[in-house]
Amino acid sequence: MIGLFSYHFDWSVLWRHPYGDLLIQGILTTFHLSFIAWVIAMGLGITMGVFRVMPFWLVRFIGVAFVQVFRNIPFLVQLFFWYFAAPLFLPTSAQKWLHEHLTHYSYWAGVVGLGIYTASRVAEHIRSGLLSIPQDQFRAAYSTGLTTLQTYRYVIVPYAFRIVLPPFTTEFLTCFKNSALTMTIGVMETTYTAYYIDSFTFHGLETTTAASLVYLSISLCIVIFMSFIEKRMLIPGMIVRGK
Amino acid sequence: MDLDVIIRNFEFIIGGLALTFQLALLTVVGGLFMGIVLAMARLSSRPWIYYPATLYIHFFRGLPLILVIFWLYFLFPVVIGRPMGAFSSAIISFIVFEAAYFAEIMRAGMQSVARGQALAAYSSGLTSYQTTYYVLLPQAFRNMVPSLINQTVIIFQDTSLAYVIGLREFLRRVNLVDAREVRSIELYLFAALVYFIICSTGSLISHRLEKKRVGRLFN
Amino acid sequence: MIEIKDVSLWYKNFKALDHISTTILKGQTVVLCGPSGSGKSSLLRCINGLEHFQEGEIFIDGVSVQDPKTDIYQLRSTIGMVFQHFELYPHMTVMENITLAPIRVRKKSKKEAEEKAMELLEWVGIPEQALKYPEELSGGQKQRVAIARALAMEPKLMLFDEPTSALDPEMIKDVLDVMMNLAKEGMTMVVVTHEMGFAKAVADEIIFMNEGRIIEKGPAQSFFDNPKNERTRQFLSRILWQIDSRVKVKGSWN
């Protein structure tokens, strides 16, 4: 621990101008980037998850392909692809437009990348959730005369929702943490800001500690949220906590 | 589509795979060892062992790996008094981080063995140690293996993060070539393909093993 | 042989056993019956120390089960237990299941243990299954292996926790036959079961439990013909309806 005493902690780095503002900006960026990506992930993920259990083979195939491709390629590689390679698919005129009008290109590449990656994970959870509903639930509902739509609305969806909620909350946390990786394509979110401030002030320890606290507090909130939800939604005898 | 770019730089890029595999292997070995210790601590009834382990796991599962890499990269020189090399920094960060995930998998594996098995073993007079060793652990291990393999695949993907501290593993090399040649589409598709092949093979193995396991343990 | 003195057991706030006192003599076959949640399985598990009770004492041949000086492992090796869900070790063959405890606890040689195991498998009627894995066997076969596994330790007392509740109706007979033979050979047995036909034919005494208390205890004959307690009568009337309405098959337990 010899080094610890020769290191001068300077916690004012966290609020001193201009670093304090940078840090706040970075944290806000993390929040809205994660949020938008999460919305995309939910929409795309639920769609793909449902595709995987549909009776039409083409639809199923699209779902399977989507999940397999985006789950087996590292998120970082996907980010690089969206940032470096994707624009090159567009005609040069579109690329020019992008270059001139989209000032925060790395941000949007990050949102798309994170959204699609998270969507593939969400799709998996939806699929296992849907598969774990016993067939007899459908049969019981139909046998009392409910139509398909009614069955889904009153019986299946509430049931599936309870199964799928815990993995969804952990997935949101994962999405939030993964937003940190967008720093590799230049997005000034929490982690990058911490690193950036260090390059000016050499007080990386303070900044990364602050950054850690941001992620840890969100993680804590999610854990508390989850136990609250579980208590309220738990139906006696039903295993909400799946695999 | 200029595939030539890949062929020209093939040796350089693939050399990175060797480093990637090395990183992954060391992380898995180190992570497993640490993970076992943590898992046992999580199953302990002694609070001074249980709480620190639980805290450790929640801590590292709540942080992005990239931040852990940075944090330790900044922390080490302060503690040791001199800067730390990129490779060792990466390895230590990876091991310390992934151990938390391994620990949870192992703990879940141990707890998934039916409680009745322990009762049956005790009822014939076997001691705690004998019960754990002959009856519980073999079953726990069989339960864990698919998830452990899954986590290994994840670790393989995570090695690409060593990129941020300059380590020249596979992805960084692709990136370097791209910076020079600007043939991004071919290069990143190639990188994606390589990872895809390796990772889906791993997932397939884990899936097969999972199917086998379910077949066996149902009474 | 078994003396249960004023035993009470709580699970958090729930009282599972309420001042239970009774004695079971050597060589007796005692059936414990009662509605779900009455504490019968809990009591059974207290006897061999698998369940920790807060009040009272249990003595097996004079040895106190919860005395810290008692070698509980040694004690357990003299008591055999058979479970509702068989609990065979799935990663071991039938032979390995049966010989594990004799080898590791009694320090017998592999040869000795395997010889004894084959004898027991013959006695329960399935010697040909010796090298199979549990998942390859039917429920009735699994339970008979479980009985052989318990007998391999040469216990002086056998405990059965709803041994036939998880079996297909056709297999129940095989298991009950084995249990009857065991009783005939003089084994002290405590059986938790709903099989009243078995109780009538084999049990010496029947104990009826409800909500953690012993409501009635008596010799098998008079228990069925003339139950003294109202609650007992109620239970019997419900459970015997099921028996009367079962199809009478020659040689069955109904």
Side-chain angles (χ1 to χ4, degrees), chain A residues 6 9 16 20 28 40-41 69 72-73 86 105 140 156 163 172 218 236:
Chain A
S6 59
F9 279 88
R16 218 198 313 154
L28 284 175
I40 296 177
V69 165
N72 282 313
I73 301 175
Y105 179 65
I156 305 300
I163 296 182
F172 176 73
I218 293 296

Side-chain angles (χ1 to χ4, degrees), chain B residues 109-200:
Chain B
M110 282 292 301
Q111 291 185 326
S112 70
V113 181
R115 191 177 158 248
Q117 289 286 305
L119 288 182
Y122 287 140
S123 72
S124 51
L126 292 166
T127 64
S128 284
Y129 173 75
Q130 289 171 326
T131 305
T132 310
Y133 186 72
Y134 292 108
V135 176
L136 298 178
L137 274 183
Q139 294 187 58
F141 190 70
R142 258 157 246 247
N143 288 358
M144 291 178 211
V145 167
S147 302
L148 287 178
I149 294 189
N150 245 355
Q151 190 62 32
T152 306
V153 169
I154 292 174
I155 288 177
F156 187 78
Q157 296 184 354
D158 282 348
T159 55
S160 51
L161 267 85
Y163 166 92
V164 297
I165 46 178
L167 216 56
R168 291 190 167 195
E169 43 68 60
F170 182 68
L171 185 62
R172 173 146 262 245
R173 295 195 185 200
V174 170
N175 194 246
L176 286 171
V177 172
D178 179 52
R180 196 174 61 218
E181 311 250 11
V182 198
R183 296 251 55 140
S184 311
I185 298 183
E186 294 90 329
L187 286 166
Y188 288 113
L189 280 180
F190 175 68
L193 191 68
V194 170
Y195 276 112
F196 181 75
I197 294 175
I198 297 177
C199 294
S200 33

